[in-house]
Amino acid sequence: MTVTNDDMPHPVPPSAYLRYKENWFFLIFDRDNGIFGAIHIVSEPIFERITFACHFSVQGQSIKYGSQIDFPENFAFSPELGDDHFTIRFVKAHEQIDLSLHNDDLDLDVSFTNRGPLFNFDDFDSANPDKVPLKEVMGIATNQQHVHQQQGMLVRGNMSLKTDGTTQHFSIDTLGYRDHSRSIRSDNLVLEHIWTGLHFPNHIFGVMTVTSSLRPHQPTHCGYVYDEEHGLRALGDIEFEGKGEGPDDQPADLTLHVTDINGRCFTLIADLSKRFASVPLQSEKPGPTPFVYDIVENFAPLKMYETDEAGIGLVEIGKRVRK
């Protein structure tokens, strides 16, 4: 395009900072043992790297592990990824994934197995053709491959925490959650988002909203619900409502008003002021822009208004801030 108004350098378009990533994200909700964990694996072939990040709150104590390895030549369809301490093994598609971490702080061996079926967020777009697609927002309108899947899980295994010459042993048998995505995306270009993985005795939900810097006035809302009576299905209308002043400049309560595609309404309330734990998460390394993406992971108690069911889940809240 001919530029007629100047000869000076021009603003760098946001698309210049795009990157392809394949992510895996795992959550542990062990209220009985006081163990809450977020495990993040990020592959970025354009930077020839894979990063592993494990963040735990164990009875109030923060335990962190992180590393980076070169992008492996045998990445495609590899049955496992890892470094000298951390390993993820893909045992059975949609049914079992094993994680292990062994270092100076802890020993962890757990299996994530399915509590409910896997949901592919393309199915939300198919059920809601009138709504802004997640692919358009997260893929920044590049029309490139975009896959985003979530699943409610069970977690079983063992953890040993080593501190001050003593070792505490924990048997884990609890709820978990996982997320798997691959796409062209740059989290540093997102303005704000809320991502959730929510467990109730009879229901599993995954609900999210994302506002992109390229679509600041058109956020996407998307999600699903699963229960044994009605099965897996996309949501339709979704509304997020924050109330009060909670920790880390967040609302005290976050209410989700959602309706499934069959017209059933659910009101889900997360009490962030009484969260069980919070762990850090950096979704990607900061790029050359003057912004970073700040994320707070809230392991929170839940309530379903219609049935008075109590639940537990993660409410992840992120926003773009200046460095």
Side-chain angles (χ1 to χ4, degrees), residues 119-130:
F119 183 77
N120 191 325
F121 274 69
D122 282 347
D123 293 338
F124 177 88
D125 295 337
S126 297
N128 295 275
D130 58 322

Side-chain angles (χ1 to χ4, degrees), residues 134-147:
L134 177 63
K135 176 180 178 179
E136 284 291 300
V137 173
M138 290 302 292
I140 323 209
T142 58
N143 200 33
Q144 298 294 313
Q145 181 188 62
H146 184 278
V147 178

Side-chain angles (χ1 to χ4, degrees), residues 63-79:
I63 306 294
K64 303 177 185 179
Y65 172 77
S67 74
Q68 178 177 306
I69 64 171
D70 294 336
F71 197 87
E73 293 183 2
N74 61 342
F75 175 79
F77 303 113
S78 174

Side-chain angles (χ1 to χ4, degrees), residues 190-195 293-296 316-320:
V190 174
L191 295 179
E192 59 185 7
H193 85 282
I194 301 173
W195 179 93
Y293 202 67
D294 184 56
I295 298 176
V296 180
E316 174 185 285
I317 298 179
K319 59 185 177 181
R320 192 184 191 202

